[in-house]
Amino acid sequence: MSRFTSFCRTTALAVLATGTCLSAAHADSTLTIATVNNGDMIIMRQLSGEFEKAHPGIHLNWVTLEENVLRQRVTTDIATGAGQFDIMTIGNYEVPIWAKQKWLAEVQPAADYDVNDILPAVRAGLTVNDRIYALPFYAESVMTYYRTDLFKKAGITMPEAPTYEQIRQYADKITDKSNQVYGMCLRGKPGWGENMAYVTSLVNTFGGQWFGMGWKPMLDSAAWKSAINWYVSILNADGPPGATSNGFNENLALFASGHCGMWIDSTVAGGMLFDPKQSQVASKVGFAPVPKGSFGKGPTWLWSWNLAIPASSKHTQDAQTFITWATSKEYVQLVAKQKGWVAVPAGTRQSTYDNADYKKAAPFASFVLNAINTADPNGQTAQPRPYGGAQFVGIPQFQAIGTQVGQTIAAALSGQMQVDQALAAAQSSTTRTMRQSGYTH
């Protein structure tokens, strides 16, 4: 029964007297939410019954998808205006591009939501012309996780600022394949936001970049070759079998179950790796900055998973009610109460990092806050560049380009192609796409 029907039945006298039903009530709505199958979002779904209790007229229909599939589905839906979803989980890559296309509804939270509590770097990525088009569920930079017990056993110490050359040496020393312990786990699953998120940040610090001025692709440069040779070499020598099947979630599971000696990936994994309920190695995890290559500090990884409302939704007000709930200070408190402080969504609110209980439960908290606050996705590359982004390129075509190149890099990792051959193919396909898109002639 809808709120509208119920209201009219209970106000029958008013209907008889006026001939109309009072408009103070409106029909129930069902919000269809597309989200990624990451741990924090699974917790959101588990706790969403609390929202439905507080808002009995709003029902939630969840579509939880693997990362690559989610990106494909929501992009197709929003570009065609199909209106299948009322809420989408999208990244800070999509938000500015889609907002400029008028594909997203503006979000206007109430004053008690406290927009200014959202970390400035994260808020900036969701703002176009001083208007907010999504709210951040969690945000991340990148860091190195390692097993302190394995380092101690090997007689090595993680430096405060490791280099990729050192990381390779450490991986060789702690790999123990007979016991299924692999010195290095890295994303190998092809996709612009899977293997290419890591690979792009790796290439940056080796002195490479996607494009030079005039949008000339640079994927066959010496820097790209050096970075990809390092990547393929370490995973072949010290990585788990079938690395091309491993994205963020797969590597998280491998590390948490004791099979990874080191893992370079999102800072958000800390909340799971240090949680004894989710990690078998919670007491043996160390962390360090992302390693540097020969170029040093290039553009640095900054990503947020955000809840946005497509302009095609017919339930924008109820959708805003949900996304403000799921990204609020009160939601953080709810997760802390139900799952423990170590499990709360990271990287979005200053108040989380000011909380003494969170700092006590999450030894990585100040490290992550600093990594996000100092992240510089628009930082300097070895040569001038016409685009922004650290682990992606901020142009609409990058979804297609990054996915295609990601498949080529995976082919090099699996041994189907030589590195030079793979990068020549990537250069050729990217050059063709940029020419067809009108960036080059």
Side-chain angles (χ1 to χ4, degrees):
M1 185 189 300
S2 74
R3 281 180 278 176
F4 182 83
T5 305
S6 172
F7 186 85
C8 288
R9 285 183 181 174
T10 57
T11 56
L13 290 175
V15 175
L16 288 171
T18 64
T20 59
C21 178
L22 301 181
S23 59
H26 61 282
D28 283 13
S29 65
T30 297
L31 302 177
T32 299
I33 304 169
T35 196
V36 66
N37 64 341
N38 290 352
D40 289 280
M41 285 71 170
I42 291 168
I43 290 174
M44 173 173 59
R45 183 173 180 173
Q46 290 170 350
L47 298 182
S48 62
E50 298 291 325
F51 173 85
E52 289 182 291
K53 265 192 255 173
H55 302 86
I58 304 176
H59 311 292
L60 306 177
N61 173 37
W62 292 87
V63 180
T64 306
L65 302 165
E66 184 270 328
E67 197 164 312
N68 285 337
V69 178
L70 172 82
R71 290 186 163 117
Q72 190 175 27
R73 286 275 297 276
V74 299
T75 301
T76 301
D77 186 81
I78 204 156
T80 59
Q84 184 181 355
F85 304 114
D86 298 292
I87 296 168
M88 295 175 165
T89 306
I90 60 176
N92 53 316
Y93 163 75
E94 291 97 343
V95 173
I97 293 172
W98 292 3
K100 287 170 187 168
Q101 296 278 3
K102 303 192 186 314
W103 290 349
L104 299 177
E106 182 186 354
V107 183
Q108 297 176 304
D112 61 359
Y113 177 80
D114 195 2
V115 167
N116 292 329
D117 187 46
I118 297 172
L119 299 178
V122 176
R123 194 167 70 240
L126 312 178
T127 305
V128 178
N129 297 328
D130 298 323
R131 296 181 175 186
I132 296 175
Y133 286 92
L135 297 177
F137 186 66
Y138 72 72
E140 63 189 46
S141 187
V142 63
M143 63 200 284
T144 304
Y145 301 97
Y146 67 97
R147 286 271 300 280
T148 54
D149 57 327
L150 299 181
F151 268 59
K152 186 176 180 181
K153 183 180 173 185
I156 51 180
T157 303
M158 178 68 80
E160 286 185 18
T163 66
Y164 271 110
E165 191 177 340
Q166 290 171 320
I167 290 294
R168 176 59 203 269
Q169 294 166 11
Y170 303 155
D172 288 345
K173 287 181 179 176
I174 61 177
T175 294
D176 181 3
K177 291 186 178 178
S178 62
N179 287 308
Q180 295 185 313
V181 175
Y182 304 98
M184 178 56 75
C185 293
L186 294 168
R187 298 186 190 192
K189 181 188 287 186
W192 70 266
E194 279 282 12
N195 65 341
M196 295 316 295
Y198 173 73
V199 165
T200 300
S201 66
L202 175 71
V203 166
N204 289 337
T205 194
F206 272 77
Q209 58 204 74
W210 279 86
F211 302 100
M213 300 308 288
W215 294 101
K216 182 184 183 304
M218 299 177 69
L219 287 87
D220 56 358
S221 67
W224 268 84
K225 289 175 183 175
S226 180
I228 303 307
N229 274 310
W230 183 92
Y231 169 78
V232 168
S233 172
I234 195 170
L235 283 177
N236 283 338
D238 301 310
T244 55
S245 299
N246 296 340
F248 172 80
N249 279 332
E250 292 79 12
N251 284 319
L252 175 63
L254 282 167
F255 198 108
S257 58
H259 295 294
C260 297
M262 287 184 288
W263 179 33
I264 303 165
D265 212 305
S266 159
T267 55
V268 79
M272 289 157 262
L273 294 180
F274 281 86
D275 183 357
K277 296 175 195 162
Q278 302 184 67
S279 171
Q280 295 173 27
V281 295
S283 63
K284 306 169 186 172
V285 183
F287 52 89
V290 63
K292 287 187 170 65
S294 53
F295 174 65
K297 188 181 188 298
T300 43
W301 182 314
L302 179 66
W303 180 259
S304 57
W305 276 118
N306 315 283
L307 301 178
I309 305 166
S312 54
S313 171
K314 294 176 176 60
H315 307 292
T316 53
Q317 199 56 51
D318 286 343
Q320 179 164 294
T321 300
F322 177 79
I323 71 172
T324 51
W325 173 83
T327 60
S328 65
K329 293 177 185 178
E330 291 72 25
Y331 177 81
V332 171
Q333 294 286 338
L334 177 64
V335 177
K337 182 182 173 185
Q338 300 277 355
K339 305 289 183 179
W341 271 104
V342 75
V344 304
T348 58
R349 288 188 169 272
Q350 182 64 47
S351 56
T352 300
Y353 291 90
D354 291 340
N355 186 289
D357 292 326
Y358 182 62
K359 287 192 267 196
K360 184 179 176 183
F364 49 85
S366 60
F367 182 95
V368 171
L369 178 63
N370 182 63
I372 290 173
N373 281 339
T374 58
D376 186 10
N378 297 317
Q380 187 177 356
T381 43
Q383 297 180 43
R385 61 173 180 158
Y387 62 92
Q391 79 281 14
F392 57 79
V393 176
I395 58 173
Q397 290 75 14
F398 185 68
Q399 287 202 43
I401 291 171
T403 296
Q404 188 166 19
V405 173
Q407 291 165 348
T408 309
I409 298 297
L413 179 57
S414 65
Q416 295 172 277
M417 301 174 81
Q418 297 296 315
V419 169
D420 285 12
Q421 181 189 7
L423 290 175
Q427 174 77 2
S428 176
S429 65
T430 303
T431 300
R432 184 168 57 250
T433 301
M434 294 304 280
R435 189 168 55 242
Q436 289 169 347
S437 302
Y439 282 84
T440 57
H441 301 292

PDB file of all heavy atoms in Angstrom, residues 101-131:
ATOM      1  N   GLN A 101      27.976  17.322 -18.828  1.00  0.00           N
ATOM      2  CA  GLN A 101      27.029  16.821 -19.837  1.00  0.00           C
ATOM      3  C   GLN A 101      25.571  16.965 -19.376  1.00  0.00           C
ATOM      4  O   GLN A 101      24.661  16.570 -20.100  1.00  0.00           O
ATOM      5  CB  GLN A 101      27.311  15.334 -20.126  1.00  0.00           C
ATOM      6  CG  GLN A 101      28.661  15.048 -20.755  1.00  0.00           C
ATOM      7  CD  GLN A 101      28.668  15.264 -22.248  1.00  0.00           C
ATOM      8  OE1 GLN A 101      27.670  15.683 -22.821  1.00  0.00           O
ATOM      9  NE2 GLN A 101      29.800  15.000 -22.881  1.00  0.00           N
ATOM     10  N   LYS A 102      25.389  17.469 -18.120  1.00  0.00           N
ATOM     11  CA  LYS A 102      24.053  17.592 -17.515  1.00  0.00           C
ATOM     12  C   LYS A 102      23.392  16.227 -17.311  1.00  0.00           C
ATOM     13  O   LYS A 102      22.168  16.075 -17.391  1.00  0.00           O
ATOM     14  CB  LYS A 102      23.144  18.522 -18.334  1.00  0.00           C
ATOM     15  CG  LYS A 102      23.728  19.927 -18.509  1.00  0.00           C
ATOM     16  CD  LYS A 102      22.703  20.893 -19.050  1.00  0.00           C
ATOM     17  CE  LYS A 102      23.291  22.263 -19.377  1.00  0.00           C
ATOM     18  NZ  LYS A 102      24.176  22.812 -18.341  1.00  0.00           N
ATOM     19  N   TRP A 103      24.209  15.217 -17.050  1.00  0.00           N
ATOM     20  CA  TRP A 103      23.709  13.868 -16.802  1.00  0.00           C
ATOM     21  C   TRP A 103      23.433  13.613 -15.321  1.00  0.00           C
ATOM     22  O   TRP A 103      22.827  12.597 -14.977  1.00  0.00           O
ATOM     23  CB  TRP A 103      24.714  12.834 -17.306  1.00  0.00           C
ATOM     24  CG  TRP A 103      24.820  12.763 -18.798  1.00  0.00           C
ATOM     25  CD1 TRP A 103      23.995  13.337 -19.715  1.00  0.00           C
ATOM     26  CD2 TRP A 103      25.823  12.066 -19.547  1.00  0.00           C
ATOM     27  NE1 TRP A 103      24.408  13.047 -20.993  1.00  0.00           N
ATOM     28  CE2 TRP A 103      25.540  12.254 -20.912  1.00  0.00           C
ATOM     29  CE3 TRP A 103      26.930  11.294 -19.202  1.00  0.00           C
ATOM     30  CZ2 TRP A 103      26.315  11.710 -21.931  1.00  0.00           C
ATOM     31  CZ3 TRP A 103      27.709  10.747 -20.213  1.00  0.00           C
ATOM     32  CH2 TRP A 103      27.408  10.952 -21.568  1.00  0.00           C
ATOM     33  N   LEU A 104      23.923  14.497 -14.440  1.00  0.00           N
ATOM     34  CA  LEU A 104      23.762  14.293 -12.999  1.00  0.00           C
ATOM     35  C   LEU A 104      22.904  15.396 -12.395  1.00  0.00           C
ATOM     36  O   LEU A 104      22.975  16.549 -12.828  1.00  0.00           O
ATOM     37  CB  LEU A 104      25.127  14.290 -12.299  1.00  0.00           C
ATOM     38  CG  LEU A 104      26.126  13.217 -12.720  1.00  0.00           C
ATOM     39  CD1 LEU A 104      27.447  13.407 -11.978  1.00  0.00           C
ATOM     40  CD2 LEU A 104      25.580  11.815 -12.467  1.00  0.00           C
ATOM     41  N   ALA A 105      22.131  15.034 -11.382  1.00  0.00           N
ATOM     42  CA  ALA A 105      21.362  16.032 -10.638  1.00  0.00           C
ATOM     43  C   ALA A 105      22.272  16.695  -9.611  1.00  0.00           C
ATOM     44  O   ALA A 105      23.105  16.034  -8.988  1.00  0.00           O
ATOM     45  CB  ALA A 105      20.180  15.358  -9.939  1.00  0.00           C
ATOM     46  N   GLU A 106      22.095  17.999  -9.446  1.00  0.00           N
ATOM     47  CA  GLU A 106      22.852  18.690  -8.404  1.00  0.00           C
ATOM     48  C   GLU A 106      22.393  18.187  -7.036  1.00  0.00           C
ATOM     49  O   GLU A 106      21.216  17.909  -6.828  1.00  0.00           O
ATOM     50  CB  GLU A 106      22.625  20.201  -8.499  1.00  0.00           C
ATOM     51  CG  GLU A 106      23.419  20.991  -7.480  1.00  0.00           C
ATOM     52  CD  GLU A 106      23.096  22.479  -7.483  1.00  0.00           C
ATOM     53  OE1 GLU A 106      22.318  22.933  -8.366  1.00  0.00           O
ATOM     54  OE2 GLU A 106      23.597  23.188  -6.593  1.00  0.00           O
ATOM     55  N   VAL A 107      23.347  18.065  -6.110  1.00  0.00           N
ATOM     56  CA  VAL A 107      23.040  17.631  -4.753  1.00  0.00           C
ATOM     57  C   VAL A 107      23.117  18.843  -3.833  1.00  0.00           C
ATOM     58  O   VAL A 107      24.097  19.586  -3.856  1.00  0.00           O
ATOM     59  CB  VAL A 107      24.025  16.545  -4.279  1.00  0.00           C
ATOM     60  CG1 VAL A 107      23.645  16.049  -2.893  1.00  0.00           C
ATOM     61  CG2 VAL A 107      24.065  15.385  -5.264  1.00  0.00           C
ATOM     62  N   GLN A 108      22.085  19.035  -3.028  1.00  0.00           N
ATOM     63  CA  GLN A 108      22.036  20.180  -2.118  1.00  0.00           C
ATOM     64  C   GLN A 108      21.687  19.703  -0.707  1.00  0.00           C
ATOM     65  O   GLN A 108      20.542  19.774  -0.285  1.00  0.00           O
ATOM     66  CB  GLN A 108      21.001  21.206  -2.616  1.00  0.00           C
ATOM     67  CG  GLN A 108      21.358  21.801  -3.977  1.00  0.00           C
ATOM     68  CD  GLN A 108      20.287  22.735  -4.494  1.00  0.00           C
ATOM     69  OE1 GLN A 108      19.126  22.353  -4.626  1.00  0.00           O
ATOM     70  NE2 GLN A 108      20.665  23.961  -4.777  1.00  0.00           N
ATOM     71  N   PRO A 109      22.693  19.220   0.027  1.00  0.00           N
ATOM     72  CA  PRO A 109      22.416  18.706   1.369  1.00  0.00           C
ATOM     73  C   PRO A 109      21.991  19.821   2.324  1.00  0.00           C
ATOM     74  O   PRO A 109      22.355  20.992   2.128  1.00  0.00           O
ATOM     75  CB  PRO A 109      23.761  18.112   1.814  1.00  0.00           C
ATOM     76  CG  PRO A 109      24.610  18.067   0.587  1.00  0.00           C
ATOM     77  CD  PRO A 109      24.108  19.127  -0.326  1.00  0.00           C
ATOM     78  N   ALA A 110      21.256  19.442   3.356  1.00  0.00           N
ATOM     79  CA  ALA A 110      20.861  20.401   4.387  1.00  0.00           C
ATOM     80  C   ALA A 110      22.093  20.853   5.174  1.00  0.00           C
ATOM     81  O   ALA A 110      23.142  20.195   5.144  1.00  0.00           O
ATOM     82  CB  ALA A 110      19.845  19.756   5.322  1.00  0.00           C
ATOM     83  N   ALA A 111      21.949  21.948   5.904  1.00  0.00           N
ATOM     84  CA  ALA A 111      23.085  22.540   6.621  1.00  0.00           C
ATOM     85  C   ALA A 111      23.698  21.565   7.621  1.00  0.00           C
ATOM     86  O   ALA A 111      24.922  21.529   7.794  1.00  0.00           O
ATOM     87  CB  ALA A 111      22.640  23.813   7.335  1.00  0.00           C
ATOM     88  N   ASP A 112      22.863  20.734   8.266  1.00  0.00           N
ATOM     89  CA  ASP A 112      23.406  19.835   9.291  1.00  0.00           C
ATOM     90  C   ASP A 112      24.216  18.679   8.698  1.00  0.00           C
ATOM     91  O   ASP A 112      24.860  17.925   9.423  1.00  0.00           O
ATOM     92  CB  ASP A 112      22.293  19.296  10.202  1.00  0.00           C
ATOM     93  CG  ASP A 112      21.251  18.482   9.456  1.00  0.00           C
ATOM     94  OD1 ASP A 112      21.372  18.336   8.217  1.00  0.00           O
ATOM     95  OD2 ASP A 112      20.298  17.994  10.099  1.00  0.00           O
ATOM     96  N   TYR A 113      24.213  18.536   7.382  1.00  0.00           N
ATOM     97  CA  TYR A 113      25.064  17.533   6.732  1.00  0.00           C
ATOM     98  C   TYR A 113      26.540  17.903   6.879  1.00  0.00           C
ATOM     99  O   TYR A 113      27.403  17.035   6.945  1.00  0.00           O
ATOM    100  CB  TYR A 113      24.680  17.412   5.256  1.00  0.00           C
ATOM    101  CG  TYR A 113      25.540  16.451   4.474  1.00  0.00           C
ATOM    102  CD1 TYR A 113      25.301  15.081   4.539  1.00  0.00           C
ATOM    103  CD2 TYR A 113      26.595  16.897   3.683  1.00  0.00           C
ATOM    104  CE1 TYR A 113      26.091  14.185   3.825  1.00  0.00           C
ATOM    105  CE2 TYR A 113      27.379  16.006   2.962  1.00  0.00           C
ATOM    106  CZ  TYR A 113      27.127  14.655   3.042  1.00  0.00           C
ATOM    107  OH  TYR A 113      27.915  13.769   2.332  1.00  0.00           O
ATOM    108  N   ASP A 114      26.808  19.205   6.936  1.00  0.00           N
ATOM    109  CA  ASP A 114      28.156  19.738   7.134  1.00  0.00           C
ATOM    110  C   ASP A 114      29.093  19.394   5.964  1.00  0.00           C
ATOM    111  O   ASP A 114      30.046  18.622   6.097  1.00  0.00           O
ATOM    112  CB  ASP A 114      28.745  19.250   8.462  1.00  0.00           C
ATOM    113  CG  ASP A 114      29.973  20.055   8.881  1.00  0.00           C
ATOM    114  OD1 ASP A 114      30.343  21.009   8.158  1.00  0.00           O
ATOM    115  OD2 ASP A 114      30.562  19.734   9.930  1.00  0.00           O
ATOM    116  N   VAL A 115      28.810  20.009   4.827  1.00  0.00           N
ATOM    117  CA  VAL A 115      29.633  19.818   3.631  1.00  0.00           C
ATOM    118  C   VAL A 115      31.087  20.200   3.893  1.00  0.00           C
ATOM    119  O   VAL A 115      32.017  19.578   3.372  1.00  0.00           O
ATOM    120  CB  VAL A 115      29.058  20.644   2.450  1.00  0.00           C
ATOM    121  CG1 VAL A 115      30.045  20.713   1.303  1.00  0.00           C
ATOM    122  CG2 VAL A 115      27.748  20.035   1.967  1.00  0.00           C
ATOM    123  N   ASN A 116      31.306  21.201   4.731  1.00  0.00           N
ATOM    124  CA  ASN A 116      32.671  21.669   4.991  1.00  0.00           C
ATOM    125  C   ASN A 116      33.506  20.672   5.782  1.00  0.00           C
ATOM    126  O   ASN A 116      34.723  20.840   5.901  1.00  0.00           O
ATOM    127  CB  ASN A 116      32.641  23.022   5.712  1.00  0.00           C
ATOM    128  CG  ASN A 116      32.121  24.120   4.807  1.00  0.00           C
ATOM    129  OD1 ASN A 116      32.302  24.078   3.595  1.00  0.00           O
ATOM    130  ND2 ASN A 116      31.438  25.098   5.388  1.00  0.00           N
ATOM    131  N   ASP A 117      32.860  19.645   6.328  1.00  0.00           N
ATOM    132  CA  ASP A 117      33.588  18.585   7.024  1.00  0.00           C
ATOM    133  C   ASP A 117      34.253  17.626   6.037  1.00  0.00           C
ATOM    134  O   ASP A 117      35.167  16.885   6.395  1.00  0.00           O
ATOM    135  CB  ASP A 117      32.612  17.830   7.937  1.00  0.00           C
ATOM    136  CG  ASP A 117      33.295  16.810   8.829  1.00  0.00           C
ATOM    137  OD1 ASP A 117      34.341  17.144   9.439  1.00  0.00           O
ATOM    138  OD2 ASP A 117      32.785  15.679   8.936  1.00  0.00           O
ATOM    139  N   ILE A 118      33.789  17.628   4.792  1.00  0.00           N
ATOM    140  CA  ILE A 118      34.392  16.767   3.761  1.00  0.00           C
ATOM    141  C   ILE A 118      35.768  17.325   3.406  1.00  0.00           C
ATOM    142  O   ILE A 118      35.937  18.530   3.212  1.00  0.00           O
ATOM    143  CB  ILE A 118      33.486  16.687   2.519  1.00  0.00           C
ATOM    144  CG1 ILE A 118      32.154  16.028   2.885  1.00  0.00           C
ATOM    145  CG2 ILE A 118      34.167  15.899   1.401  1.00  0.00           C
ATOM    146  CD1 ILE A 118      31.116  16.072   1.787  1.00  0.00           C
ATOM    147  N   LEU A 119      36.762  16.446   3.321  1.00  0.00           N
ATOM    148  CA  LEU A 119      38.131  16.879   3.052  1.00  0.00           C
ATOM    149  C   LEU A 119      38.185  17.682   1.754  1.00  0.00           C
ATOM    150  O   LEU A 119      37.583  17.286   0.744  1.00  0.00           O
ATOM    151  CB  LEU A 119      39.061  15.668   2.961  1.00  0.00           C
ATOM    152  CG  LEU A 119      39.158  14.809   4.236  1.00  0.00           C
ATOM    153  CD1 LEU A 119      40.065  13.611   4.004  1.00  0.00           C
ATOM    154  CD2 LEU A 119      39.664  15.635   5.409  1.00  0.00           C
ATOM    155  N   PRO A 120      38.895  18.817   1.753  1.00  0.00           N
ATOM    156  CA  PRO A 120      38.876  19.732   0.603  1.00  0.00           C
ATOM    157  C   PRO A 120      39.246  19.076  -0.726  1.00  0.00           C
ATOM    158  O   PRO A 120      38.603  19.334  -1.745  1.00  0.00           O
ATOM    159  CB  PRO A 120      39.894  20.810   0.993  1.00  0.00           C
ATOM    160  CG  PRO A 120      39.908  20.800   2.484  1.00  0.00           C
ATOM    161  CD  PRO A 120      39.662  19.371   2.880  1.00  0.00           C
ATOM    162  N   ALA A 121      40.268  18.219  -0.730  1.00  0.00           N
ATOM    163  CA  ALA A 121      40.694  17.593  -1.991  1.00  0.00           C
ATOM    164  C   ALA A 121      39.593  16.704  -2.558  1.00  0.00           C
ATOM    165  O   ALA A 121      39.401  16.628  -3.780  1.00  0.00           O
ATOM    166  CB  ALA A 121      41.965  16.774  -1.763  1.00  0.00           C
ATOM    167  N   VAL A 122      38.855  16.051  -1.668  1.00  0.00           N
ATOM    168  CA  VAL A 122      37.768  15.167  -2.100  1.00  0.00           C
ATOM    169  C   VAL A 122      36.592  15.995  -2.600  1.00  0.00           C
ATOM    170  O   VAL A 122      36.014  15.714  -3.662  1.00  0.00           O
ATOM    171  CB  VAL A 122      37.343  14.249  -0.939  1.00  0.00           C
ATOM    172  CG1 VAL A 122      36.158  13.387  -1.336  1.00  0.00           C
ATOM    173  CG2 VAL A 122      38.517  13.376  -0.496  1.00  0.00           C
ATOM    174  N   ARG A 123      36.235  17.023  -1.851  1.00  0.00           N
ATOM    175  CA  ARG A 123      35.099  17.887  -2.226  1.00  0.00           C
ATOM    176  C   ARG A 123      35.355  18.546  -3.577  1.00  0.00           C
ATOM    177  O   ARG A 123      34.445  18.654  -4.414  1.00  0.00           O
ATOM    178  CB  ARG A 123      34.889  18.930  -1.131  1.00  0.00           C
ATOM    179  CG  ARG A 123      33.576  19.665  -1.228  1.00  0.00           C
ATOM    180  CD  ARG A 123      33.277  20.444   0.034  1.00  0.00           C
ATOM    181  NE  ARG A 123      34.152  21.600   0.213  1.00  0.00           N
ATOM    182  CZ  ARG A 123      34.960  21.791   1.244  1.00  0.00           C
ATOM    183  NH1 ARG A 123      35.036  20.900   2.218  1.00  0.00           N
ATOM    184  NH2 ARG A 123      35.710  22.869   1.337  1.00  0.00           N
ATOM    185  N   ALA A 124      36.590  18.964  -3.819  1.00  0.00           N
ATOM    186  CA  ALA A 124      36.921  19.655  -5.078  1.00  0.00           C
ATOM    187  C   ALA A 124      36.654  18.773  -6.293  1.00  0.00           C
ATOM    188  O   ALA A 124      36.218  19.259  -7.338  1.00  0.00           O
ATOM    189  CB  ALA A 124      38.376  20.105  -5.053  1.00  0.00           C
ATOM    190  N   GLY A 125      36.892  17.470  -6.144  1.00  0.00           N
ATOM    191  CA  GLY A 125      36.691  16.565  -7.270  1.00  0.00           C
ATOM    192  C   GLY A 125      35.246  16.323  -7.628  1.00  0.00           C
ATOM    193  O   GLY A 125      34.941  15.755  -8.683  1.00  0.00           O
ATOM    194  N   LEU A 126      34.332  16.768  -6.755  1.00  0.00           N
ATOM    195  CA  LEU A 126      32.894  16.541  -6.970  1.00  0.00           C
ATOM    196  C   LEU A 126      32.146  17.832  -7.250  1.00  0.00           C
ATOM    197  O   LEU A 126      30.923  17.842  -7.326  1.00  0.00           O
ATOM    198  CB  LEU A 126      32.295  15.866  -5.732  1.00  0.00           C
ATOM    199  CG  LEU A 126      33.068  14.660  -5.196  1.00  0.00           C
ATOM    200  CD1 LEU A 126      32.416  14.113  -3.937  1.00  0.00           C
ATOM    201  CD2 LEU A 126      33.182  13.583  -6.263  1.00  0.00           C
ATOM    202  N   THR A 127      32.902  18.924  -7.409  1.00  0.00           N
ATOM    203  CA  THR A 127      32.311  20.255  -7.549  1.00  0.00           C
ATOM    204  C   THR A 127      32.589  20.802  -8.945  1.00  0.00           C
ATOM    205  O   THR A 127      33.724  20.787  -9.405  1.00  0.00           O
ATOM    206  CB  THR A 127      32.885  21.211  -6.487  1.00  0.00           C
ATOM    207  OG1 THR A 127      32.685  20.633  -5.188  1.00  0.00           O
ATOM    208  CG2 THR A 127      32.215  22.567  -6.540  1.00  0.00           C
ATOM    209  N   VAL A 128      31.540  21.266  -9.592  1.00  0.00           N
ATOM    210  CA  VAL A 128      31.662  21.893 -10.915  1.00  0.00           C
ATOM    211  C   VAL A 128      30.916  23.220 -10.851  1.00  0.00           C
ATOM    212  O   VAL A 128      29.728  23.261 -10.516  1.00  0.00           O
ATOM    213  CB  VAL A 128      31.067  20.995 -12.027  1.00  0.00           C
ATOM    214  CG1 VAL A 128      31.162  21.692 -13.380  1.00  0.00           C
ATOM    215  CG2 VAL A 128      31.787  19.649 -12.069  1.00  0.00           C
ATOM    216  N   ASN A 129      31.626  24.299 -11.139  1.00  0.00           N
ATOM    217  CA  ASN A 129      31.031  25.650 -11.078  1.00  0.00           C
ATOM    218  C   ASN A 129      30.342  25.897  -9.733  1.00  0.00           C
ATOM    219  O   ASN A 129      29.197  26.367  -9.669  1.00  0.00           O
ATOM    220  CB  ASN A 129      30.042  25.862 -12.234  1.00  0.00           C
ATOM    221  CG  ASN A 129      30.728  25.789 -13.583  1.00  0.00           C
ATOM    222  OD1 ASN A 129      31.892  26.165 -13.718  1.00  0.00           O
ATOM    223  ND2 ASN A 129      30.020  25.286 -14.580  1.00  0.00           N
ATOM    224  N   ASP A 130      31.041  25.531  -8.663  1.00  0.00           N
ATOM    225  CA  ASP A 130      30.578  25.750  -7.282  1.00  0.00           C
ATOM    226  C   ASP A 130      29.329  24.954  -6.917  1.00  0.00           C
ATOM    227  O   ASP A 130      28.682  25.236  -5.914  1.00  0.00           O
ATOM    228  CB  ASP A 130      30.319  27.248  -7.016  1.00  0.00           C
ATOM    229  CG  ASP A 130      31.590  28.078  -7.155  1.00  0.00           C
ATOM    230  OD1 ASP A 130      32.659  27.570  -6.760  1.00  0.00           O
ATOM    231  OD2 ASP A 130      31.506  29.203  -7.653  1.00  0.00           O
ATOM    232  N   ARG A 131      28.993  23.955  -7.702  1.00  0.00           N
ATOM    233  CA  ARG A 131      27.851  23.096  -7.394  1.00  0.00           C
ATOM    234  C   ARG A 131      28.332  21.663  -7.191  1.00  0.00           C
ATOM    235  O   ARG A 131      29.202  21.191  -7.924  1.00  0.00           O
ATOM    236  CB  ARG A 131      26.814  23.145  -8.522  1.00  0.00           C
ATOM    237  CG  ARG A 131      26.195  24.532  -8.687  1.00  0.00           C
ATOM    238  CD  ARG A 131      25.158  24.533  -9.777  1.00  0.00           C
ATOM    239  NE  ARG A 131      24.487  25.832  -9.863  1.00  0.00           N
ATOM    240  CZ  ARG A 131      23.458  26.089 -10.636  1.00  0.00           C
ATOM    241  NH1 ARG A 131      22.955  25.135 -11.416  1.00  0.00           N
ATOM    242  NH2 ARG A 131      22.906  27.291 -10.648  1.00  0.00           N
TER     243      ARG A 131
END
